[in-house]
Amino acid sequence: MQSEARSAIVARSLTKRFGPRPAFEDVSFEVGAGEVFGFLGPNGAGKTTTVRVLSTLIAPTAGTAEVAGVPVSKRTGAELRRRISVMTENPGLYLRLSVHENLEYFAGLYGLGPVGARRRIAEALEAVDMADRARDLGGSLSKGLRQRVGLARALLNEPRVLFLDEPTSGLDPVSTMEVRELIAGLRARGVTVFLTTHRLEEAERLCDRVAILNTSLRSIGRPDELRRQLFASSIEVRVAQPLADPDHVFSRVEGVRSWNLNDGRYLLQVSDPTIVAPALARALVQAGADILRLAEVQHSLEDVYLELIGDEPLGGEE
Amino acid sequence: MNPRVLAVMRKEFREYRRNKFVIFTMAILPVIFLAIPVITVLALPANVPEAARKVAVGQSLLMFFLIPMILPTTVAAYAVIGEREQGTLEPVLTTPILDRELLLGKALAATVPAVALGWVMFAIFAVVVRLFAAQGVIDRVFRVEVFVADITLGPVFAVFAIWVALAISVRSTDVRVAQQLAGLTILPVIGLSALLSFGVIAPTLTAYLALAALVAAVDVLGWRIATRMFDRERLLTRYSRSD
């Protein structure tokens, strides 16, 4: 866990209810400065509401939070929003305005003067590879291009914390890849990124840590930590011919806790795959086995997610 | 001027320019509202009784109060609920802009062209009256209090109508309902304008200036009330802050 002094986002027992229905409850976490933090959950889990609360668009029902060093409150809202950016799921472009005019409007809202605005707009358009589309009307752009303009808009004020709400939603694979490259670029520049997504492979690829939410926070940590917490380490073994006495072979290897045979594959629960695997290979060779495959079983973030969320009903309001 | 208010105004002007409906409304309505009083006063014979002349000129002047009131209410009623419906409101609210700045920018953007058009139409009317109307009509129109009334009351009535429309817009759930309601709620102000135009309220310079000052104070109050009614949470989630 990051030290609180270096945290870009701190949430303490944050709760938001709409009437009697909770959008999310008792959510606590910290995001370190420069970290890419994934916020995962099914639709209706409270991800977007969390972003709205942290960006002072709506007030929490209970709990406290601090973003970019500013407490989340109505009184400090403008100062906090000066230090952050939010890319909403719907890019919300003005369709009758050109890309440049859309960005110019937001540069004005961030209080940038004409010279500063021109420079930042040029940089932001360059960053999303849209410099040659600056004069196109918002209404003439594809969804992917609108999403990119939305991202350019979020870069205008050089935010300390950038909230990205489902940034690749509805994008084709090429646009998705480009957005992901951009996020990786932001990480390199030290921007803290708070990414809500239900694309697990995206979170796994981009995020330093992830939190899994379904109204309440189910788990938080690095993807590999979560895997370790939820799943025992295991090694899969395939050999050319079934072992004559597998129990005898496996029980001699230190660190093997149990094993089972499934569809011609031996699946061994082990303490530490990096220590057990070489000893296991030697034992199999000594037993005369021809090894076809010996590998640690990898659990994806999707496995973690499904283990935590599974068939749970959806949360409250999104 | 505050750069964020200026940014909102500039954006609104750009959107007006590219919206055929707004251009059509801004171009056609003032011409109609100018044509009616011009025809009315030019058709008056020189020997018409004074009472009839007073009514005809009063009807004509009413039109110039109506122009800045009617023109902007449709766009003001659309201003917030329309942005919410097209998904552009939330990104704006994530910037440092304050509620009062956003509303002021939208109100000014609606007011400026409407008031300018109202004044231009009145200037054209005055020139036409001077050149072509009977002397009795010229004497009734070319009075200090008539010009002061048009210059001062037109804008403050317009701003009042705009705040009412914006207040409806921030609380409405449907653009069409907001626009219809905004049209209805300016009726009392139109009634007041009519009382002035027909001389039911003593049309003295002092009365006009006092009324303009009073309506201007109400306008400032309207800004505050509309800002207080602007509930980000309600606009984004349909639940109000107090729920």
Side-chain angles (χ1 to χ4, degrees):
Chain A
M1 186 69 74
Q2 316 291 318
S3 77
E4 195 154 326
R6 292 192 58 243
S7 295
I9 303 172
V10 182
R12 293 269 174 263
S13 305
L14 214 51
T15 296
K16 180 64 191 176
R17 289 193 195 91
F18 293 116
R21 298 173 66 183
F24 58 83
E25 280 185 306
D26 199 23
V27 168
S28 298
F29 61 86
E30 288 180 30
V31 179
E35 190 176 6
V36 177
F37 187 79
F39 212 53
L40 312 180
N43 293 331
K47 304 186 297 293
T48 297
T49 304
T50 305
V51 170
R52 285 174 170 171
V53 167
L54 292 174
S55 56
T56 74
L57 292 184
I58 59 177
T61 309
T64 60
E66 193 177 295
V67 177
V70 181
V72 170
S73 75
K74 188 169 165 56
R75 193 177 53 79
T76 57
E79 177 54 33
L80 188 151
R81 294 194 300 272
R82 204 166 278 128
R83 302 178 184 199
I84 66 164
S85 264
V86 182
M87 183 189 165
T88 49
E89 185 177 356
N90 173 3
L93 299 189
Y94 294 96
L95 305 183
R96 291 192 179 97
L97 302 189
S98 70
V99 168
H100 190 276
E101 288 165 343
N102 267 282
L103 297 182
E104 196 174 56
Y105 176 40
F106 278 78
L109 296 181
Y110 283 114
L112 298 175
V115 178
R118 263 198 300 277
R119 181 177 60 79
R120 297 266 182 88
I121 290 169
E123 287 170 359
L125 285 174
E126 199 64 47
V128 298
D129 199 20
M130 289 280 292
D132 58 338
R133 307 296 295 267
R135 288 174 173 229
D136 290 9
L137 289 182
S140 70
L141 302 177
S142 66
K143 175 154 192 198
L145 292 179
R146 287 182 197 182
Q147 205 84 346
R148 280 207 249 170
V149 177
L151 196 49
R153 190 177 60 200
L155 300 176
L156 282 175
N157 63 329
E158 296 181 327
R160 291 194 212 171
V161 179
L162 177 58
F163 291 92
L164 301 174
D165 194 3
E166 304 278 0
T168 56
S169 166
L171 296 190
D172 61 55
V174 174
S175 303
T176 299
M177 194 183 69
E178 286 168 354
V179 169
R180 287 174 182 170
E181 283 171 3
L182 247 159
I183 295 170
L186 290 171
R187 180 217 303 266
R189 284 160 51 181
V191 177
T192 305
V193 178
F194 187 94
L195 171 78
T196 78
T197 184
H198 58 260
R199 291 190 168 187
L200 301 171
E201 85 288 357
E202 182 168 278
E204 179 133 43
R205 192 178 303 184
L206 292 171
C207 299
D208 301 309
R209 288 188 308 141
V210 295
I212 296 175
L213 179 82
N214 194 15
T215 308
S216 60
L217 208 55
R218 298 308 161 89
S219 199
I220 184 166
R222 291 203 312 268
D224 58 330
E225 278 177 357
L226 297 183
R227 280 193 287 267
R228 270 204 301 276
Q229 283 169 18
L230 286 174
F231 300 104
S233 298
S234 50
I235 290 176
E236 181 190 331
V237 173
R238 283 180 63 200
V239 288
Q241 297 293 326
L243 297 170
D245 187 357
D247 212 17
H248 175 70
V249 176
F250 296 143
S251 63
R252 284 166 51 206
V253 180
E254 198 174 334
V256 174
R257 290 170 176 161
S258 63
W259 66 274
N260 63 67
L261 179 61
N262 187 0
D263 202 17
R265 298 174 308 159
Y266 296 97
L267 199 65
L268 291 78
Q269 305 295 319
V270 300
S271 54
D272 184 344
T274 56
I275 295 170
V276 173
L280 183 62
R282 283 194 294 274
L284 287 165
V285 170
Q286 277 175 13
D290 295 326
I291 303 171
L292 299 178
R293 176 180 169 81
L294 191 157
E296 183 182 355
V297 176
Q298 296 287 343
H299 290 281
S300 66
L301 189 57
E302 189 170 354
D303 298 326
V304 173
Y305 181 89
L306 290 173
E307 183 74 17
L308 288 169
I309 302 284
D311 297 327
E312 281 181 19
L314 294 182
E317 296 286 327
E318 187 69 70
Chain B
M1 187 184 271
N2 177 314
R4 286 182 290 275
V5 174
L6 206 60
V8 175
M9 285 178 69
R10 193 180 301 134
K11 189 279 290 181
E12 294 285 317
F13 287 146
R14 279 176 169 155
E15 286 214 297
Y16 293 165
R17 280 209 311 270
R18 290 173 197 164
N19 187 328
K20 283 177 187 158
F21 173 73
V22 173
I23 294 289
F24 179 78
T25 310
M26 292 272 184
I28 297 299
L29 273 183
V31 172
I32 294 169
F33 278 60
L34 173 65
I36 294 169
V38 164
I39 292 167
T40 305
V41 295
L42 292 186
L44 282 177
N47 59 353
V48 72
E50 177 60 21
R53 189 182 300 130
K54 186 179 169 186
V55 169
V57 172
Q59 281 174 344
S60 302
L61 295 177
L62 176 61
M63 293 295 163
F64 300 104
F65 287 133
L66 293 184
I67 291 174
M69 263 194 288
I70 290 178
L71 282 183
T73 46
T74 308
V75 286
Y78 178 85
V80 177
I81 179 70
E83 286 228 27
R84 190 184 82 165
E85 285 195 359
Q86 65 183 19
T88 52
L89 184 63
E90 185 167 1
V92 170
L93 297 182
T94 66
T95 71
I97 195 165
L98 303 174
D99 301 346
R100 61 173 181 270
E101 293 170 334
L102 179 64
L103 290 176
L104 183 62
K106 285 183 174 290
L108 287 174
T111 306
V112 170
V115 168
L117 275 169
W119 283 343
V120 168
M121 294 301 132
F122 182 74
I124 294 171
F125 172 75
V127 170
V128 170
V129 166
R130 187 82 200 174
L131 294 177
F132 306 109
Q135 189 56 46
V137 174
I138 296 173
D139 292 344
R140 189 147 274 287
V141 171
F142 278 79
R143 292 178 178 191
V144 174
E145 59 267 26
V146 170
F147 278 76
V148 168
D150 188 73
I151 290 167
T152 59
L153 286 174
V156 292
F157 281 161
V159 171
F160 178 81
I162 286 165
W163 284 129
V164 170
L166 277 171
I168 290 169
S169 188
V170 302
R171 282 303 171 107
S172 191
T173 52
D174 185 278
V175 171
R176 287 160 301 183
V177 173
Q179 288 175 331
Q180 281 173 356
L181 275 179
L184 289 175
T185 49
I186 62 166
L187 286 178
V189 190
I190 293 176
L192 185 61
S193 311
L195 294 178
L196 285 167
S197 304
F198 296 123
V200 178
I201 295 175
T204 63
L205 185 60
T206 315
Y208 283 141
L209 288 174
L211 187 62
L214 181 70
V215 180
V218 172
D219 288 347
V220 174
L221 195 65
W223 180 20
R224 290 193 171 184
I225 291 171
T227 301
R228 191 160 286 183
M229 288 171 73
F230 189 94
D231 182 344
R232 290 173 178 237
E233 189 149 340
R234 189 190 185 105
L235 284 164
L236 296 177
T237 66
R238 85 175 184 271
Y239 291 93
S240 87
R241 280 187 291 247
S242 53
D243 282 342

